[in-house]
């Protein structure tokens, strides 16, 4: 049972104990009235002194117990202790009933049936085991009393005029009394405890369901907040894209106007045109990123995939990047396992994956750093690793870098250029062909991107990349 | 001749503006973001600041103009705000209900003649 359910139950124990005490006041009052009425109607048949004594004892402990359990529960007393207190009360009640029966005719008194009521009450308040315990105690007390009275160990008080005086020594009847009460006691404890257990289980299930509903509601609220956040960032993104798309055009237009209107000295015209062209190239790169991203959603047909040699694609990409790598005085290490099977992805897309990952490595690694590119086989998959000694990615950002338009603060301050789309595109491509991608990084020490792509022999292979970084 | 500080994160815009202003004989310095712009105001003591509204963060330029307005050492320097936000989504973000400490607007792409006449007016 969960801790929360326990708390709920301990609140219940307090309420149940209070109910028991209340019940006891009612019974005491009724017995008191019955004795007074009996004496009035039939004269004094019984030793009223001891009976009043027993009632006074019950009255005393009931008064002491009034509200006690609830106070203890609030003070954080354990459920076990509270249950023990209740158990002791029921046993005291059984004893009191036995004494009352003894002083009011023993076997002759039909109120022996009240043992069963106490057992039912015990089942309601406590566990099934307690219920059987009460049945046992009741049986022993009743049998003990009848035998003690029959054998004269204790005196028998005859209900004169109500029962025949010698009935308490008729052995057949006596044994029948004991057997009936004992069997009835155990039967009642079985029935009532079964019933009460079922009720309690239902109650607990209801409680747990409620709890689960509350948790679910919290989850939904959280999800809703997240959706709103996504929506908000989408709007902000649209604004950003609009701005990013306008800015290069405005810059190019400004340059052209300067030349046309004669503000640029002749010797600088070539330089300014080159700047305008560079800007146009940047613009094209952004637009093609946006298009790639949109194309990722297109359906892919297996039979349309033309496999390619990932190693030679890598070679081409590295050739294209060579100038930038030299510019930044980066140390480049390339390791390609010979004889790899072709990748089950078109050359155009494999090229995009390599280009994006390697150009990120170059962009975010300080001058003089190191870049390591590895391509190897892993069962029916190819595994590419692009490692750098750059600025790195903080743990909280590592999941988000694959989100569209997300750029870390460090990336933004390291390089102004970047649409925040490159890694989304790479992830989309890798997953599209049945591969996986992930990153490991330590801020300030560098980042390592691992990806897999299926070879033509098989499309699905479990990644076992985690041990790589350590080596 | 007057010194003009251009604050814009777009290097091409800085360059184009510089060419126009230098053709008219002004001395030009540039800063790539709001923070560097505020430093430039102190270090370079320009006679005029040309400020882009949208830089790394939206409305960063507006923030710079407010900072300048709150500083008595800077509040006397006229500001020409450059914007490409007219008729875009950003226009909705632009605060219209409060006083903006700027002395004029020009829009991107720059019209050289217009830019020079606005600058000349503000400096006179």
């Amino acid at each position: 049972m969960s801790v929360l359910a326990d708390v709920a139950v301990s609140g219940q124990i307090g309420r149940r104990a209070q109910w028991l005490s209340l019940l006891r006041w009612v019974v005491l009052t009724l017995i008191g009235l019955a004795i007074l009425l009996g004496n009035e109607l039939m004269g004094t048949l019984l030793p009223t002194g001891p009976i009043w004594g027993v009632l006074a004892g019950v009255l005393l402990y009931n008064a002491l117990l009034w509200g006690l359990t609830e106070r203890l529960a609030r003070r954080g007393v354990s459920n076990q202790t509270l249950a023990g207190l209740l158990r002791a009360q029921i046993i005291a009640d059984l004893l009191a009933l036995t004494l009352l029966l003894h002083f009011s005719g023993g076997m002759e008194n039909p109120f022996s049936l009240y043992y069963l009521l106490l057992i039912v009450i015990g089942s309601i308040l406590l566990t099934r085991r307690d219920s059987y315990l009460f049945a046992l105690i009741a049986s022993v007390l009743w049998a003990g009393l009848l035998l003690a009275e029959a054998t004269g160990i204790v005196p028998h008080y005859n209900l004169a005029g109500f029962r025949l005086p010698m009935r308490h020594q008729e052995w057949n009847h006596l044994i029948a009394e004991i057997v009936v009460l004992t069997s009835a006691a155990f039967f009642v404890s079985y029935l009532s405890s079964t019933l009460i257990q079922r009720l309690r289980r239902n109650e607990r299930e209801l409680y747990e369901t409620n709890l689960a509903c509350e948790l679910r509601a919290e989850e939904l609220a959280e999800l809703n907040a997240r959706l709103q956040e996504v929506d908000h960032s989408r709007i902000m993104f649209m604004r950003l894209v609009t701005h990013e798309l306008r800015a290069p055009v405005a810059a190019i237009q400004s340059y052209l106007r300067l030349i046309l209107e004669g503000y640029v000295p002749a010797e600088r015209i070539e330089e300014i045109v080159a700047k305008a062209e560079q800007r146009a190239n940047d613009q094209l790169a952004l637009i093609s990123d946006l298009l790639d991203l949109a194309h990722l959603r297109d359906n892919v047909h297996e039979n349309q995939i033309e496999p390619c040699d990932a190693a030679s694609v890598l070679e081409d990409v590295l050739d294209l990047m060579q100038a930038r790598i030299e510019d930044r005085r980066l140390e480049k290490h390339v390791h390609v396992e010979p004889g790899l099977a072709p990748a089950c992805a078109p050359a155009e897309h494999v090229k995009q994956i390599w280009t994006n990952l390697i150009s990120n490595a170059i962009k975010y690694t300080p001058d003089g750093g190191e870049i390591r590119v590895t391509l190897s086989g892993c069962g029916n998959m190819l595994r590419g690793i692009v490692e750098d000694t750059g600025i790195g990615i903080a743990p909280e950002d590592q999941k988000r870098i694959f989100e569209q338009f997300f750029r870390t603060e460090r990336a933004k301050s390291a390089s102004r250029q970047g649409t925040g789309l490159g890694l989304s595109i790479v992830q989309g491509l890798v997953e599209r062909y049945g591969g996986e991608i992930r990153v490991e990084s330590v801020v300030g020490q560098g980042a390592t991107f691992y990806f897999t792509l299926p070879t033509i022999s098989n499309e699905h292979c479990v990644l076992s990349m985690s041990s790589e970084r350590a080596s | 001749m007057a010194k003009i500080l251009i604050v814009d994160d777009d290097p091409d815009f800085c360059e184009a503006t510089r060419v126009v202003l230098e053709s008219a004989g002004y001395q030009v310095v540039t800063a790539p973001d709001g923070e560097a712009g505020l430093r430039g105001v102190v270090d370079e003591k320009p006679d005029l600041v040309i400020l882009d509204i949208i830089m790394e963060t939206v409305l960063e330029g507006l923030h710079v103009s407010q900072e300048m307005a709150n500083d008595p050492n800077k509040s006397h320097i006229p500001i020409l705000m450059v914007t490409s936000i007219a008729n875009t989504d950003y226009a909705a973000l632009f605060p219209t209900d409060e006083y903006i400490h700027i002395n004029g607007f020009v829009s991107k792409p720059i019209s050289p003649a217009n830019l020079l006449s606005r600058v000349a007016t503000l400096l006179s």
Side-chain angles (χ1 to χ4, degrees):
Chain A
M1 202 198 299
S2 75
V3 177
L4 281 167
D6 253 341
V7 171
V9 168
S10 90
Q12 285 172 352
I13 285 192
R15 280 201 302 281
R16 289 186 211 155
Q18 197 62 9
W19 171 71
L20 179 63
S21 292
L22 194 65
L23 210 58
R24 211 177 272 125
W25 287 131
V26 174
V27 171
L28 282 172
T29 313
L30 288 177
I31 295 175
L33 284 174
I35 294 169
L36 289 176
L37 203 66
N39 284 354
E40 198 64 37
L41 293 177
M42 298 191 264
T44 308
L45 301 172
L46 298 165
T48 42
I51 293 180
W52 286 120
V54 173
L55 290 182
V58 176
L59 192 127
L60 186 69
Y61 72 69
N62 202 37
L64 288 175
L65 287 167
W66 185 253
L68 176 69
T69 313
E70 263 180 325
R71 281 199 299 279
L72 290 178
R74 264 201 300 279
R75 234 181 280 162
V77 174
S78 80
N79 279 350
Q80 267 173 331
T81 315
L82 296 178
L85 193 63
L86 271 180
R87 194 178 297 123
Q89 288 180 50
I90 304 265
I91 294 171
D93 289 340
L94 286 168
L95 276 169
L97 176 62
T98 309
L99 286 174
L100 284 175
L101 289 171
H102 168 60
F103 291 121
S104 56
M107 183 208 276
E108 294 163 11
N109 191 334
F111 280 95
S112 57
L113 278 175
Y114 275 51
Y115 278 119
L116 301 183
L117 298 186
L118 274 172
I119 291 167
V120 170
I121 291 170
S123 309
I124 293 171
L125 295 177
L126 292 158
T127 66
R128 165 166 279 184
R129 257 183 56 196
D130 290 309
S131 169
Y132 286 125
L133 175 72
F134 299 143
L136 182 70
I137 292 173
S139 305
V140 168
L141 285 174
W142 181 234
L145 174 69
L146 295 192
L147 290 171
E149 284 187 13
T151 52
I153 296 175
V154 295
H156 173 71
Y157 300 95
N158 179 231
L159 286 175
F162 182 65
R163 294 280 198 210
L164 294 173
M166 297 318 287
R167 193 168 176 257
H168 70 283
Q169 280 172 331
E170 287 168 14
W171 288 96
N172 288 343
H173 190 83
L174 190 144
I175 289 166
E177 273 281 336
I178 291 172
V179 169
V180 167
L181 188 100
T182 304
S183 59
F186 279 92
F187 190 57
V188 161
S189 46
Y190 168 76
L191 272 185
S192 53
S193 63
T194 302
L195 202 69
I196 209 76
Q197 268 189 335
R198 190 160 301 165
L199 282 174
R200 278 194 207 144
R201 195 164 53 234
N202 287 351
E203 187 188 29
R204 193 154 60 229
E205 275 167 14
L206 197 67
Y207 178 79
E208 276 162 12
T209 311
N210 277 344
L211 211 63
C213 281
E214 274 165 35
L215 289 177
R216 184 62 52 83
E218 266 169 42
E219 250 170 59
L220 281 176
E222 213 169 282
L223 199 66
N224 199 22
R226 175 120 182 83
L227 277 176
Q228 276 177 0
E229 197 183 302
V230 167
D231 193 44
H232 178 73
S233 58
R234 206 158 283 267
I235 291 169
M236 289 312 287
F237 162 66
M238 285 312 296
R239 287 185 178 147
L240 194 69
V241 167
T242 320
H243 180 68
E244 291 290 325
L245 287 177
R246 287 174 68 104
V249 177
I252 294 165
Q253 212 174 354
S254 299
Y255 279 142
L256 293 178
R257 215 176 264 178
L258 298 195
I259 295 168
L260 286 175
E261 295 181 14
Y263 286 92
V264 185
E267 71 274 11
R268 287 201 63 196
I269 286 184
E270 197 174 328
E271 177 203 337
I272 295 292
V273 170
K275 280 177 194 264
E277 196 205 2
Q278 178 55 45
R279 204 56 199 264
N281 289 339
D282 291 351
Q283 175 86 329
L284 282 177
L286 171 64
I287 292 172
S288 94
D289 269 4
L290 286 169
L291 283 176
D292 286 343
L293 205 65
H295 280 311
L296 282 178
R297 302 210 173 130
D298 296 350
N299 288 327
V300 58
H301 298 292
E302 295 289 330
N303 51 6
Q304 286 173 353
I305 298 175
E306 193 152 322
C308 74
D309 178 5
S312 71
V313 172
L314 171 60
E315 210 173 300
D316 293 345
V317 170
L318 286 169
D319 279 349
L320 286 174
M321 302 272 177
Q322 191 54 35
R324 280 174 69 193
I325 292 173
E326 282 169 11
D327 245 21
R328 306 286 310 281
R329 298 191 314 282
L330 300 173
E331 204 177 308
K332 176 186 77 177
H333 304 275
V334 181
H335 176 76
V336 177
E337 192 181 310
L340 289 171
C344 187
E348 176 201 349
H349 288 166
V350 175
K351 181 179 174 184
Q352 258 182 309
I353 294 169
W354 282 125
T355 308
N356 275 313
L357 291 179
I358 297 172
S359 85
N360 274 355
I362 296 170
K363 190 153 58 173
Y364 299 120
T365 302
D367 291 3
E370 233 176 278
I371 290 177
R372 196 176 290 271
V373 184
T374 312
L375 177 64
S376 58
C378 154
N380 293 324
M381 304 290 272
L382 293 173
R383 183 171 54 206
I385 305 172
V386 178
E387 192 175 356
D388 64 50
T389 56
I391 56 173
I393 305 151
E396 65 272 19
D397 288 336
Q398 289 181 13
K399 268 183 203 150
R400 300 200 60 197
I401 52 169
F402 295 105
E403 288 174 17
Q404 292 176 11
F405 306 110
F406 178 80
R407 294 187 76 206
T408 67
E409 288 308 314
R410 298 172 66 81
K412 283 182 200 161
S413 54
S415 165
R416 183 180 132 68
Q417 273 158 345
T419 54
L421 295 175
L423 286 174
S424 316
I425 293 170
V426 170
Q427 186 186 39
L429 288 173
V430 166
E431 288 177 356
R432 177 179 184 168
Y433 297 106
E436 287 180 36
I437 183 163
R438 66 186 182 86
V439 65
E440 282 177 8
S441 175
V442 176
V443 169
Q445 291 184 20
T448 307
F449 283 86
Y450 302 86
F451 71 90
T452 57
L453 279 176
T455 62
I456 47 170
S457 39
N458 197 325
E459 282 157 51
H460 299 291
C461 168
V462 178
L463 285 184
S464 57
M465 308 187 295
S466 45
S467 56
E468 289 297 320
R469 175 107 189 156
S471 60
Chain B
M1 200 62 188
K3 188 195 257 186
I4 298 172
L5 171 64
I6 305 170
V7 186
D8 197 316
D9 62 338
D10 186 330
D12 289 314
F13 179 83
C14 288
E15 183 62 22
T17 315
R18 177 198 289 275
V19 169
V20 174
L21 295 174
E22 282 179 350
S23 77
Y26 295 110
Q27 194 189 343
V28 176
V29 285
T30 64
D33 57 53
E35 208 178 310
L38 285 172
R39 271 202 311 275
V41 172
V42 176
D43 299 343
E44 303 285 347
K45 299 188 176 37
D47 303 295
L48 172 75
V49 175
I50 295 180
L51 194 57
D52 183 24
I53 291 182
I54 296 163
M55 288 182 275
E56 194 62 26
T57 60
V58 176
L59 304 185
E60 185 176 341
L62 213 59
H63 171 70
V64 171
S65 77
Q66 265 149 8
E67 288 276 303
M68 284 176 64
N70 295 337
D71 184 339
N73 293 326
K74 298 169 187 161
S75 57
H76 64 281
I77 305 172
I79 298 174
L80 187 58
M81 188 73 94
V82 184
T83 170
S84 57
I85 68 169
N87 303 322
T88 70
D89 273 351
Y90 281 111
L93 293 178
F94 202 84
T96 52
D97 55 341
E98 58 190 280
Y99 176 65
I100 304 165
H101 170 73
I102 47 173
N103 306 82
F105 269 113
V106 287
S107 63
K108 286 184 184 180
I110 344 162
S111 150
N114 183 35
L115 176 69
L116 287 176
S117 81
R118 300 298 294 276
V119 168
T121 316
L122 287 177
L123 285 174
S124 62

